[in-house]
Amino acid sequence: MAVSREQIITAAIRHLNAAPTASMAEIAAAAGISRATLHRHFASRDELVTVLGWRALEDWQRVQREAGIAEAVASGDRALLREALQALLHGGVAICHEHGFLLTERALPADLLRRSDEIEEHEVEFLSACQRAGLIRADLPPRWVSSVVFGLLVAVTESVRRGDVAQRDVPRLFLDTFLRGVA
Amino acid sequence: MAVSREQIITAAIRHLNAAPTASMAEIAAAAGISRATLHRHFASRDELVTVLGWRALEDWQRVQREAGIAEAVASGDRALLREALQALLHGGVAICHEHGFLLTERALPADLLRRSDEIEEHEVEFLSACQRAGLIRADLPPRWVSSVVFGLLVAVTESVRRGDVAQRDVPRLFLDTFLRGVA
DNA sequence: GTACAATGAGACAAAAATGTCTCAATCAAG
DNA sequence: CTTGATTGAGACATTTTTGTCTCATTGTAC
């Protein structure tokens, strides 16, 4: 049976999450296709990773939109902001479950990183609004808070990869730790 | 003037922190020596990274020892544990300032990783003791708490690398966020 | 000044992965 | 069944980095 492009992408994501430095040959094997066929779909490894990267960014943007962070910022309403924050964090976990390996990927194309910075910028503004609403302490630089989200997502990805934490416990642990710390 | 092995290591660390995937040629250039000389000191790139890795682990172990985590665990004394925790976290930041690039290095030799797991195991036991003493919430798996330390250190490294956070603010932000979260 | 050690520059082969290409086999549509 | 498209297997050249080696040069100790 033919293996669709989507199936290849799915397999590539799965395998890259387990082995982030996998070669095209490994990825092809993981997808159950030949290296030649993989190259017919993605001219180069860069192109493949780039496609996955853009998907991750689209997901991230979608999460931001569905969480309603723009509206929440505009309103400044505490309850709205709180709900958006919850949704944003849950969405972040979901994205990492799929694209976690990209978090620590070191060789991403510049335009992807630029777009990533743009999206992160919206996140920073949102977090800033959360600070003004008293949801997040005001004595932390918003960019640091954004980095904390990033760092905790790395922790999530690594914990799950190593089997230290069950998938179902992740959202609670992540949100709990993010908001209240460990003490 | 001759460039000592120590100077090479220092330059390599500095450069690898800025460009984690740097080749031997780049590292040699950064150290101001020829590629041949670099190879005379470190037969292979793996060997170089491995040497740096073992240094980082030694530093980590030293931090654990100087923080007195073993004694604190043995005593179970809350004040002792608190002081050890503070020292441990401060030490972690210091290590990352130097060896941060290793946090997300994907191709480390197995024996290094094994040793890393051993040292981390001491950390987990210590964090567990902190939970029993009420310094850290008991509803978080200690391995998750350990991952949180890791993740926040990644956040620290990345923030500093990007210039989002000043070096001098790092310890406060790190400890504050770790213990109290962002809310 | 001489001798010895370390260095830099560069040539070189080897390894590993990449990307291209061909060809025969398979599969699906008509 | 036939045709046309897609695939897998593998050969191939290329690229990049690695690791080795040589040789002339530098510099340092004696």
Side-chain angles (χ1 to χ4, degrees):
Chain A
M1 189 191 89
V3 176
S4 73
R5 185 182 169 96
E6 277 313 305
Q7 287 175 306
I8 296 174
I9 289 181
T10 301
I13 286 175
R14 184 194 318 278
H15 193 252
L16 284 172
N17 268 315
T21 62
S23 68
M24 289 294 266
E26 277 182 76
I27 296 169
I33 59 175
S34 74
R35 206 163 63 89
T37 302
L38 180 55
H39 270 288
R40 282 184 192 107
H41 283 278
F42 304 96
S44 70
R45 190 185 194 281
D46 275 357
E47 184 182 316
L48 170 59
V49 173
T50 300
V51 166
L52 302 187
W54 284 107
R55 288 208 169 201
L57 290 189
E58 278 169 28
D59 284 354
W60 188 6
Q61 201 180 10
R62 185 180 44 74
V63 163
Q64 286 190 343
R65 188 174 54 244
E66 291 180 0
I69 70 170
E71 299 82 344
V73 170
S75 77
D77 179 68
R78 186 183 161 94
L80 259 185
L81 283 164
R82 172 180 281 128
E83 274 178 39
L85 181 57
Q86 291 260 339
L88 186 69
L89 296 174
H90 273 103
V93 171
I95 294 176
C96 279
H97 179 45
E98 189 154 7
H99 298 106
F101 73 96
L102 288 168
L103 280 175
T104 49
E105 176 64 51
R106 303 192 194 263
L108 293 174
D111 52 347
L112 202 76
L113 293 177
R114 222 175 309 119
R115 181 77 186 110
S116 169
D117 283 345
E118 283 176 24
I119 302 180
E120 188 179 350
E121 205 52 36
H122 293 150
E123 196 131 323
V124 169
E125 281 172 33
F126 170 71
L127 293 168
S128 220
C130 287
Q131 290 183 304
R132 289 192 295 276
L135 288 170
I136 293 178
R137 275 189 288 149
D139 62 338
L140 303 173
R143 276 172 213 287
W144 164 249
V145 180
S146 176
S147 278
V148 170
V149 174
F150 166 74
L152 287 182
L153 286 177
V154 172
V156 161
T157 302
E158 188 64 7
S159 290
V160 171
R161 196 188 62 76
R162 310 209 310 186
D164 285 346
V165 171
Q167 198 64 243
R168 58 178 290 278
D169 294 332
V170 164
R172 175 185 70 89
L173 292 173
F174 174 61
L175 266 80
D176 236 51
T177 306
F178 177 68
L179 292 173
R180 302 170 47 204
V182 304
Chain B
M1 186 190 92
V3 176
S4 74
R5 185 180 170 95
E6 276 314 306
Q7 287 175 305
I8 296 174
I9 288 181
T10 300
I13 287 175
R14 183 193 320 279
H15 192 253
L16 284 171
N17 268 316
T21 62
S23 69
M24 289 294 266
E26 277 182 75
I27 297 170
I33 60 176
S34 73
R35 206 164 63 90
T37 301
L38 179 57
H39 270 289
R40 283 184 191 107
H41 282 277
F42 304 96
S44 70
R45 188 185 195 281
D46 274 357
E47 184 182 316
L48 170 59
V49 173
T50 300
V51 165
L52 302 186
W54 284 107
R55 288 208 169 200
L57 290 189
E58 278 169 29
D59 283 355
W60 188 7
Q61 200 179 12
R62 184 181 45 72
V63 162
Q64 285 189 344
R65 189 174 52 245
E66 291 178 0
I69 71 170
E71 300 82 344
V73 170
S75 76
D77 179 69
R78 187 183 160 96
L80 260 184
L81 283 163
R82 173 180 280 127
E83 275 178 39
L85 182 58
Q86 290 260 341
L88 186 69
L89 296 174
H90 273 102
V93 171
I95 293 176
C96 278
H97 179 45
E98 188 154 7
H99 297 106
F101 72 96
L102 289 168
L103 280 176
T104 49
E105 175 64 50
R106 303 192 193 262
L108 293 173
D111 52 347
L112 202 76
L113 293 178
R114 222 175 308 120
R115 180 79 186 107
S116 171
D117 283 344
E118 283 175 24
I119 302 179
E120 186 179 352
E121 205 52 35
H122 294 150
E123 195 130 323
V124 169
E125 282 171 32
F126 169 72
L127 293 169
S128 218
C130 287
Q131 291 184 303
R132 288 191 295 275
L135 288 169
I136 293 177
R137 276 188 289 150
D139 63 337
L140 303 173
R143 275 172 216 287
W144 165 249
V145 181
S146 176
S147 278
V148 170
V149 174
F150 165 74
L152 287 182
L153 287 176
V154 172
V156 161
T157 302
E158 189 63 7
S159 290
V160 171
R161 196 187 62 75
R162 310 210 309 188
D164 285 346
V165 171
Q167 197 66 241
R168 57 179 290 278
D169 293 332
V170 164
R172 175 185 70 89
L173 292 174
F174 175 60
L175 266 79
D176 237 48
T177 306
F178 177 68
L179 293 174
R180 300 172 48 204
V182 305

